[in-house]
Amino acid sequence: MFDNMIEFITDLLNGSWLFQSGIAIWNGLIGYAWDILQTNPQALADGMLWDTVDGVFQLLQIVGASLMTVLFLINFVKETADIRHNTTLESAFVMMMKLIVGNVVLLNLKEIILLIVSMEQNLLEIVAPSGNVSLQLTIPGLDDWEISVQGTILGIMMGLLFLIVALAGVIVILWTAYSVFFKLFFYIATAPLAMSTILGTQGMSHSAYAWIKTFLCALGEIAGIVLVLRLGAALVNAQGFFPAMPSGGVWDLLGPQIWGGLQCTLSIIIITGAVKSVDSMIRRAFGF
């Protein structure tokens, strides 16, 4: 009983419980973020969000089908009435094929979107084969924490800093995961209206192509977030972010645990910043 009390007081003073709490909070909420990112949109929130999106989608699908026909007629009349450019059989055939393909795509748009999302979910399983376990962080030697008397105050301060950084970082990542899913739902709901413009004039048809790029950006952002978390966890756990602890002087007094805690604190800041920059990186890749 006395030995357990001494061990508890020692852990309390050296700050190891702060690091353990920070790691537990980070890993627990990162697991929750993984559950969000790899969940099929139809299953999120017991399907309540999808039911709302599906209702809007079906309404806009009817509007989009009518709008597509109207835009096709406007574009066809404009092309045939242009006396400076003779309408050939080839151009008329191309326009008719676009009308047929456009209507087929619009009628099966929901199935196509869900197929693309399913393919993206399979990609996430390749990036993180062990699920949320692949994204968890560890501090080497944390269970065998030993620190000198000189480093006790610094250990508590470092532990408190790590706890705050871990909590703030994982909240930012959760916010990012939720926001990208809300964007994905919005893009799915407005898909029929955007795709109906593909048969319009050259300027109007850009709306459809912009929607395709934006939708792919949202899917790329989800995959990018998981990839960043996976790479960050692998580097932190392998101690590959920073060099080995210097020897001699004050480092011998502080011990390797302080160095490990400092590395993990800086790593969480780097990982969080990288997750926040995924959106801009994806958009630059798609030319936005």
Side-chain angles (χ1 to χ4, degrees):
M1 180 67 180
F2 181 76
D3 293 337
N4 293 335
M5 185 177 297
I6 293 296
E7 182 179 356
F8 173 77
I9 294 175
T10 303
D11 292 339
L12 185 65
L13 292 178
N14 62 27
S16 63
W17 64 277
L18 292 170
F19 284 95
Q20 291 171 346
S21 300
I23 285 291
I25 291 173
W26 174 273
N27 290 339
L29 294 182
I30 283 296
Y32 188 64
W34 162 258
D35 291 338
I36 296 172
L37 293 172
Q38 62 86 40
T39 299
N40 190 291
Q42 293 175 292
L44 193 66
D46 295 330
M48 294 178 61
L49 290 176
W50 179 256
D51 291 340
T52 303
V53 169
D54 190 41
V56 176
F57 182 94
Q58 293 179 18
L59 175 62
L60 293 184
Q61 193 174 32
I62 299 173
V63 176
S66 304
L67 182 61
M68 178 178 288
T69 304
V70 172
L71 292 177
F72 167 77
L73 293 175
I74 293 174
N75 197 25
F76 186 82
V77 171
K78 179 181 178 181
E79 292 293 331
T80 55
D82 190 355
I83 60 176
R84 292 177 300 177
H85 300 89
N86 293 327
T87 303
T88 63
L89 180 62
E90 180 184 359
S91 61
F93 177 77
V94 170
M95 293 181 68
M96 292 301 297
M97 287 300 298
K98 284 185 176 179
L99 177 63
I100 295 173
V101 173
N103 277 280
V104 170
V105 170
L106 188 61
L107 292 175
N108 298 278
L109 187 57
K110 183 165 62 175
E111 288 73 17
I112 295 173
I113 290 175
L114 291 177
L115 177 61
I116 296 174
V117 173
S118 177
M119 294 171 61
E120 195 261 351
Q121 299 296 334
N122 294 332
L123 176 62
L124 296 186
E125 295 180 0
I126 297 175
V127 175
S130 301
N132 64 328
V133 178
S134 303
L135 312 179
Q136 293 181 354
L137 302 182
T138 59
I139 299 180
L142 183 60
D143 294 334
D144 300 324
W145 189 278
E146 293 180 1
I147 194 168
S148 62
V149 176
Q150 294 89 338
T152 298
I153 301 300
L154 183 58
I156 295 176
M157 294 175 60
M158 282 294 304
L160 184 59
L161 174 64
F162 174 75
L163 179 61
I164 295 173
V165 169
L167 181 59
V170 79
I171 289 175
V172 170
I173 292 174
L174 277 175
W175 174 265
T176 305
Y178 269 112
S179 64
V180 70
F181 246 93
F182 278 119
K183 288 191 292 185
L184 187 63
F185 278 122
F186 177 80
Y187 297 150
I188 293 175
T190 57
L193 196 60
M195 293 301 295
S196 65
T197 63
I198 199 168
L199 296 182
T201 59
Q202 185 176 3
M204 186 173 292
S205 62
H206 288 167
S207 300
Y209 297 118
W211 178 90
I212 294 173
K213 291 170 61 177
T214 307
F215 176 71
L216 293 178
C217 281
L219 294 179
E221 187 177 354
I222 292 176
I225 291 172
V226 175
L227 180 59
V228 167
L229 292 175
R230 178 72 182 98
L231 293 176
L235 287 172
V236 170
N237 297 339
Q239 303 181 32
F241 254 134
F242 302 98
M245 185 188 75
S247 58
V250 68
W251 299 109
D252 291 339
L253 296 176
L254 298 180
Q257 288 78 13
I258 292 294
W259 180 252
L262 177 62
Q263 289 189 42
C264 212
T265 302
L266 295 177
S267 299
I268 285 179
I269 296 175
I270 294 172
I271 292 171
T272 304
V275 168
K276 287 294 295 180
S277 65
V278 165
D279 181 36
S280 60
M281 290 190 294
I282 295 294
R283 289 185 172 274
R284 282 197 298 268
F286 279 86
F288 283 104

